[in-house]
């Protein structure tokens, strides 16, 4: 770069060029750096998102030590660095939380780990409350990409009809499988009973026969003597 005033044009490449690109975690393996690299930036426009990503990439990002005051509601609810508006106010006003301007494309806020855990526990509780057939139908619907209210609204009538027909066929197949299972269980129980009877020792059978003979002879004697 020339020393002439106003001449900012570069005439030659830099004297010392980097052979490798800068990596913020090459020598720094701290938990803070790992958290920042894995952080999802939300609530800001694309331009502000690029700015924050640049700060993270080149280790210029300075996280907050305590919440800041929001410029909309004047409460200390700003928990993200470089934001001037809290998340509820920014979502209600539809503006960028960093620059405060209304933009068409605002990156949505990513759910916090606590919110993710609460959502997962709620979903597990709802799945446990469902019957086995409904639970399987839910998983089939999830595999086909029809989960959530948004996808359900986007389904056309033809797709919904086809899906209902497939669900009916699956339910019929499940009913047939359950009936076959019940029949097989009944047959297994009967076979086990027969095996147990066949495996009974011969001594017990002889004793039972003798008891039957004795009982019949006693009844006969009683009839002759007029006791019975």
């Amino acid at each position: 770069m020339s020393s002439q005033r106003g001449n900012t044009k570069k005439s030659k490449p830099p004297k010392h060029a980097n052979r490798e690109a800068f990596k913020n975690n090459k020598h720094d393996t701290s938990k803070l750096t790992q958290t920042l690299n894995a952080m999802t930036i939300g609530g800001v426009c694309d331009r502000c998102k690029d700015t924050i990503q640049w700060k993270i990439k080149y280790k210029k990002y300075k996280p907050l030590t305590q919440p800041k005051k929001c410029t909309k509601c004047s409460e200390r609810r700003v928990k993200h660095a470089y934001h001037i508006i809290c998340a509820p106010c920014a979502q209600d006003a539809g503006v960028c939380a960093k620059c405060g301007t209304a933009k068409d494309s605002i990156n949505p806020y990513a759910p916090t780990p606590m919110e993710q855990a609460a959502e997962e526990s709620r979903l597990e509780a709802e799945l446990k409350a469902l019957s086995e057939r409904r639970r399987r139908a839910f998983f089939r619907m999830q595999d086909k990409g029809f989960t959530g209210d948004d996808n359900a609204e986007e389904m056309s009538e033809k797709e919904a009809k086809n899906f209902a027909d497939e669900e009916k066929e699956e339910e019929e197949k499940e009913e047939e499988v359950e009936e076959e299972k019940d029949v097989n269980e009944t047959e297994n129980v009967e076979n086990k009973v027969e095996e147990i009877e066949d495996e009974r020792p011969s001594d017990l059978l002889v004793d039972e026969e003798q008891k039957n003979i004795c009982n019949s002879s006693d009844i006969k004697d009683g009839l002759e003597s007029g006791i019975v």
Side-chain angles (χ1 to χ4, degrees):
M1 183 183 293
S2 174
S3 61
Q4 184 180 0
R5 186 177 181 181
N7 186 5
T8 58
K9 185 177 180 181
K10 292 184 179 180
S11 58
K12 57 183 180 180
K15 185 176 182 180
H16 301 285
N18 294 330
R19 295 180 180 177
E20 297 179 359
F22 179 79
K23 295 180 180 179
N24 59 357
N25 58 355
K26 185 174 183 179
H27 303 290
D28 186 4
T29 58
S30 62
K31 190 174 181 180
L32 176 61
T33 303
Q34 295 176 5
T35 304
L36 292 177
N37 289 334
M39 183 176 64
T40 303
I41 302 168
V44 294
C45 60
D46 294 335
R47 183 173 180 275
C48 295
K49 183 179 179 180
D50 294 338
T51 303
I52 295 174
Q53 285 178 342
W54 183 90
K55 289 180 179 292
I56 293 172
K57 183 178 180 181
Y58 293 103
K59 295 181 68 67
K60 303 294 182 181
Y61 187 93
K62 295 181 181 179
L64 294 177
T65 56
Q66 59 184 2
K68 287 199 312 182
K69 186 181 288 186
C70 175
T71 56
K72 293 280 188 183
C73 61
S74 299
E75 295 183 9
R76 291 189 175 276
R77 297 195 299 179
V78 179
K79 299 179 181 180
H80 299 278
Y82 308 105
H83 289 200
I84 60 174
I85 304 172
C86 63
C89 292
Q91 289 176 349
D92 294 339
V95 296
C96 175
K98 183 178 181 297
C99 61
T101 56
K103 298 290 180 68
D104 294 334
S105 60
I106 301 293
N107 297 285
Y109 279 98
T112 61
M114 293 181 64
E115 292 175 349
Q116 288 180 350
E119 182 67 19
E120 289 176 359
S121 61
R122 183 186 65 82
L123 183 61
E124 288 178 0
E126 290 180 356
L127 287 175
K128 286 181 181 178
L130 294 175
S131 62
E132 184 65 23
R133 184 179 298 171
R134 294 287 183 184
R135 196 179 297 117
R136 290 178 183 175
F138 173 78
F139 288 130
R140 284 196 299 270
M141 202 172 179
Q142 211 174 30
D143 294 338
K144 293 177 181 179
F146 293 145
T147 56
D149 297 334
D150 297 337
N151 290 335
E153 292 175 358
E154 292 175 1
M155 287 174 63
S156 63
E157 295 181 358
K158 188 176 180 181
E159 289 176 344
K161 187 178 179 181
N162 293 335
F163 185 75
D165 294 339
E166 291 176 0
E167 284 296 309
K168 191 175 180 180
E169 292 177 0
E170 291 289 341
E171 289 178 1
E172 291 176 355
K173 289 180 181 178
E174 289 177 2
E175 289 178 355
E176 291 177 359
V177 170
E178 289 177 0
E179 290 176 357
E180 290 179 359
K181 191 183 291 184
D182 294 338
V183 171
N184 292 332
E185 288 179 356
T186 306
E187 292 178 353
N188 291 333
V189 170
E190 292 177 354
N191 294 332
K192 286 182 180 178
V193 171
E194 292 177 357
E195 289 176 0
I196 291 171
E197 291 179 352
D198 294 338
E199 291 175 358
R200 292 177 66 183
S202 59
D203 296 339
L204 293 176
L205 296 174
V206 171
D207 293 340
E208 287 182 357
E209 290 177 358
Q210 291 177 355
K211 284 181 181 178
N212 293 331
I213 293 169
C214 293
N215 291 334
S216 61
S217 62
D218 292 341
I219 292 170
K220 187 176 180 181
D221 296 338
L223 288 172
E224 292 177 352
S225 61
I227 295 173
V228 178

